Amino acid sequence: MKVLFSAITAAILLMAGQVQAADAAAAKALAQKSGCLACHSVDAKVLGPAYKDVAAKYKGDKSAEGKLIEKVKKGGSGVWGNIPMPANSPQVKDEDIKTIVEWILAL
């Protein structure tokens, strides 16, 4: 019985990891389609900051998701340098912005 329980637990964890990887791949593809990756990358600064740097800066900040969603929608400048980020709303749907921001913060 213990072996069966262990096998089921391992299978569930493996499937959860695959779902998270699929969700991350879909979110990255959405960022690409939305034009985000023209100015950002996951690992390196391009025109805007690397997404891993954004995730590190906001780690533990419970209000980060809302702040970043608004920043992506409205655009802005000064937080990461002098190059402004243009507004991405309404051309990028609100639910897509939320998905992309959740993905960034999970990096």
Side-chain angles (χ1 to χ4, degrees):
M1 186 67 167
K2 253 184 173 180
V3 172
L4 178 61
F5 180 73
S6 295
I8 291 171
T9 302
I12 290 171
L13 291 174
L14 180 61
M15 287 187 299
Q18 289 172 340
V19 168
Q20 287 176 346
D23 289 346
K28 185 175 182 180
L30 186 58
Q32 177 70 44
K33 179 184 116 185
S34 301
C36 304
L37 298 180
C39 297
H40 298 274
S41 80
V42 173
D43 297 316
K45 180 182 183 338
V46 182
L47 290 175
Y51 285 147
K52 284 190 175 183
D53 293 340
V54 174
K57 178 177 180 145
Y58 291 100
K59 185 177 178 113
D61 181 347
K62 300 219 184 287
S63 64
E65 184 178 313
K67 285 190 262 188
L68 292 176
I69 288 171
E70 283 304 305
K71 178 70 82 168
V72 172
K73 284 182 182 182
K74 295 178 181 176
S77 66
V79 176
W80 295 93
N82 295 326
I83 299 174
M85 182 176 75
N88 287 283
S89 184
Q91 63 272 24
V92 180
K93 295 186 287 186
D94 288 353
E95 58 268 20
D96 292 347
I97 291 173
K98 182 175 182 356
T99 298
I100 294 166
V101 167
E102 289 172 346
W103 166 64
I104 293 167
L105 291 173
L107 293 172

